[in-house]
Amino acid sequence: MSERDTGFSAGTENSAAPDSSRSTAEFRAFATQGGAEAEQPWKMKAPGRKVALLAAIVIAVVVVLILIGIAVLNG
């Protein structure tokens, strides 16, 4: 965030405020340590069957909730 986005002037020091340069340095160190896993964040570790089962359960719950909603509105 830039100074004008925060609403605080550059001369205002708040001892409770975190050091943003330290946070940036920590993030950069984390990003560089990511390795191959960081290059492919979309790669799933779960088997496809588990993902399909979870999707089916979510769809079933949505259908049941829709049916309950219709019953309540018509009742």
Side-chain angles (χ1 to χ4, degrees), residues 27-55:
F27 173 75
R28 288 184 179 157
F30 171 76
T32 57
Q33 292 175 357
E37 190 173 324
E39 294 172 6
Q40 299 180 348
W42 59 88
K43 185 172 177 152
M44 294 187 307
K45 295 179 182 177
R49 292 182 309 227
K50 297 276 186 179
V51 175
L53 177 64
L54 180 61

